[in-house]
Structures are given as C-alpha cells and as structure tokens.
Amino acid sequence: MRARLVACVGMVLLTGGCGSRQVQVLPAGPPAAKVARCVMSFPDVRAGRLARARLVGDIARYLSRRPGRIVYAVHDLVSGITLGYGRQRDELALAGGAQVDIVMALLARRGRGFDEDERRLAERMIRESNQKAADAMWSRIGGSGAMSAFYRRIGLRHTTPGPGAAWGDTTSSPSDRVRLLKVLVKGGGGLSAADRELVLGLMGRVQEDQAWGVSAAARRDDRVTLRNGWTPRPLVHGTWAVGSYGRIAGPGRDLLLSVQSDLQPEEGAGIETVEGVARMIGTRWDGLSPTTRRPCPTNPLP
C-alpha cells in the first residue's frame, strides 16, 4: 500500500494526476521563426556588355552565310538597350514599308483625323499593301516634297522619298525606321494620340500572309505591330529588296526593330534572312540585362 501511494505521488508530480483521469498536456511553443536573408539585385554591367557583344557577333556570323546585304537596328524602350549593324545605311528601298509614312504624313497635315474615304484607303494600304490606295494617298499628301518636309519634322535624317509618283522607291535606314516607330509610340510630329492609335492599330492587323518579318522576334504572348516591304529590282541584277519593321511588346520588353535587305536572289531568301535576324534578337534579348545578387548592408545608414 505504501509502495502504491509512493507511486501515485510520483505520478502526480510527473503528470498532475493519478488513476484514470487524463490531464491535458499543453503543446510546446511554436518553433522559432526563420529569419529571411536579405539579398539585393544589381545590374551586372560587365556580363551585360559581354552578352550584347556575343549576340552582335553571332548575328554577324549568321549574316556572313546569307546572300545580299542586310542591316538592322533594335531599341528597347524598357531597358534602353540599342543594337544594330549598318543602322544609318539609307539607300535601301522601303517599297510597301513607305505606306505607313504616307499615312502618318497625311494625318499630321490634316490635324483632324481622316474622313471615311481616307480611313478606308489607309486600311487598304497598311493591312493589304494596296498600291492603288497608296497612289491616291501619295497624291493627296502632295508627293515627295511634302514627304521630305514631314521627314524633317520628325527628325528622320536618312530617309529620302521616291521621286515623282514612285513612292515605292523611298529609301530609308534602320535607325530612321526605329525613330519613326518611336514617334508612333511616344508621340510627336503633329500626330495626336488618336492618329497614332489608328496607325498602330492597322499595323497590328495586317493580313496573315503579310505578318512575316520582325514578328519572328515575338514570344507567345507578345503584341506585334509591323509593316513589311518587298520589291523586285530588275535593274539591279534582277535582285530583290525585302524589309520589315515594327514593335514587339510584352512583359519586360518593348522592342522597336527594323531589319532591311537588298541584293536578295529572291523574295523568299530575303524573308528568311530577315526572320533569322529577328528570331536571334527575340530569343536572346532577355539575357542582355543580367543581374547579380549581393547581401544587404549589415549596418545601414540611419
């Protein structure tokens, strides 16, 4: 009996009870919270410079195996990065690519938007590359003299309108195509927000068979607005001029891109080369702005 009493006393001391009564045991306190490590990200300037140099070099090697002459320019409105080769070569024909210029120049001159007939002509020009509509609009703007004035107004220094009625012989450079796109996106040149929205909207809805070119730089969910130009050059050894310029915008990037070529053996070869350059740029662009991580300062300033 004495032994049982001693055992019960021991049990009371250990559990707070004896017999069949169950005593609630409080759980241990919560585990100590883990302290997150403070890390800061900084641009890796040296790695970015090397990545850009590698891309330019790889494009140059690709172009060395392609026929004809190819020049390009790209500017990212998000990162501010600009790359290119032959950016100011201004003797490459725009062909149908000049139709956007005509529409912009007429909108700037009107200062009030288009009437129904002009809007219909603009749509046929940019979405369908309709030459008769372009002839009519070229005449309404006043031909090459009016176009020269418009180019000076928006700061295009390497673009020359075609002579007489030959708007398709307008020549331009990749850097000027990027400047033209920047006017459409950012404003300027007497174009209202509604004018710019009209032009970009048409460039975003070109016919499916004309949506080739710089669109090859787009990722799955990017928005693409573009205009292409292509024309045979029977007096230049029977070759072709093929070009494409436009905007490719999406998460983390807003690219203004122009790729132009001439002395192409055929239209298909020019398109393939233009898309090859655009695809290399689009695929590798995100790697051109690398970052490095460092611990936060242990003694921050008060």
Side-chain angles (χ1 to χ4, degrees):
M1 180 69 179
R2 179 179 176 81
R4 182 180 179 188
L5 179 60
V6 172
C8 185
V9 170
M11 187 68 72
V12 169
L13 292 174
L14 290 173
T15 66
C18 189
S20 61
R21 183 182 177 191
Q22 298 296 317
V23 178
Q24 181 179 7
V25 179
L26 296 177
K34 293 183 179 180
V35 178
R37 183 184 177 192
C38 178
V39 177
M40 301 177 68
S41 294
F42 297 89
D44 192 329
V45 177
R46 182 174 179 275
R49 202 160 38 231
L50 290 173
R52 293 191 285 275
R54 281 195 294 268
L55 175 58
V56 171
D58 288 345
I59 293 176
R61 281 186 284 276
Y62 167 73
L63 294 180
S64 71
R65 302 189 297 270
R66 301 297 302 173
R69 178 173 53 173
I70 304 96
V71 292
Y72 69 94
V74 56
H75 174 71
D76 185 3
L77 295 173
V78 175
S79 67
I81 294 174
T82 298
L83 297 177
Y85 168 75
R87 284 175 282 185
Q88 296 183 0
R89 295 291 289 266
D90 59 358
E91 68 271 33
L92 281 76
L94 283 177
Q99 293 176 350
V100 169
D101 305 30
I102 300 169
V103 171
M104 291 174 64
L106 191 55
L107 282 167
R109 168 173 284 193
R110 288 283 188 269
R112 53 166 176 74
F114 281 159
D115 59 31
E116 184 177 346
D117 180 53
E118 290 167 339
R119 182 178 289 269
R120 184 166 54 251
L121 289 172
E123 181 163 352
R124 292 174 61 196
M125 287 171 62
I126 297 178
R127 294 195 61 215
E128 305 171 17
S129 194
N130 186 283
Q131 296 194 16
K132 290 185 178 180
D135 290 342
M137 293 287 263
W138 180 262
S139 177
R140 293 189 187 195
I141 188 60
S144 59
M147 291 302 303
S148 292
F150 174 70
Y151 290 142
R152 289 193 299 270
R153 184 176 184 178
I154 63 174
L156 303 194
R157 299 184 296 274
H158 309 111
T159 301
T160 303
W167 53 265
D169 288 340
T170 298
T171 59
S172 190
S173 68
S175 60
D176 269 6
R177 293 297 92 192
V178 168
R179 288 191 187 97
L180 185 90
L181 290 166
K182 193 176 293 186
V183 168
L184 282 173
V185 175
K186 296 289 189 179
L191 292 166
S192 68
D195 294 337
R196 295 185 287 112
E197 183 179 353
L198 169 65
V199 178
L200 288 170
L202 294 175
M203 293 173 69
R205 295 185 289 111
V206 297
Q207 290 184 164
E208 185 176 355
D209 64 337
Q210 297 181 22
W212 50 265
V214 296
S215 55
R219 300 165 299 183
R220 182 182 299 273
D221 297 323
D222 286 345
R223 301 182 307 280
V224 178
T225 55
L226 60 76
R227 188 70 187 93
N228 300 328
W230 62 98
T231 184
R233 310 296 298 279
L235 301 181
V236 188
H237 312 294
T239 58
W240 283 73
V242 180
S244 177
Y245 64 94
R247 179 190 189 190
I248 301 93
R253 67 171 64 167
D254 194 344
L255 304 181
L256 308 181
L257 174 60
S258 174
V259 186
Q260 295 170 250
S261 73
D262 65 1
L263 303 178
Q264 296 297 311
E266 57 185 6
E267 179 188 0
I271 292 174
E272 184 178 348
T273 300
V274 167
E275 292 191 334
V277 173
R279 189 173 295 109
M280 292 177 72
I281 290 171
T283 300
R284 294 172 57 177
W285 196 262
D286 290 344
L288 302 187
S289 302
T291 59
T292 185
R293 294 160 64 98
R294 302 176 191 168
C296 299
T298 55
N299 295 312
L301 295 176

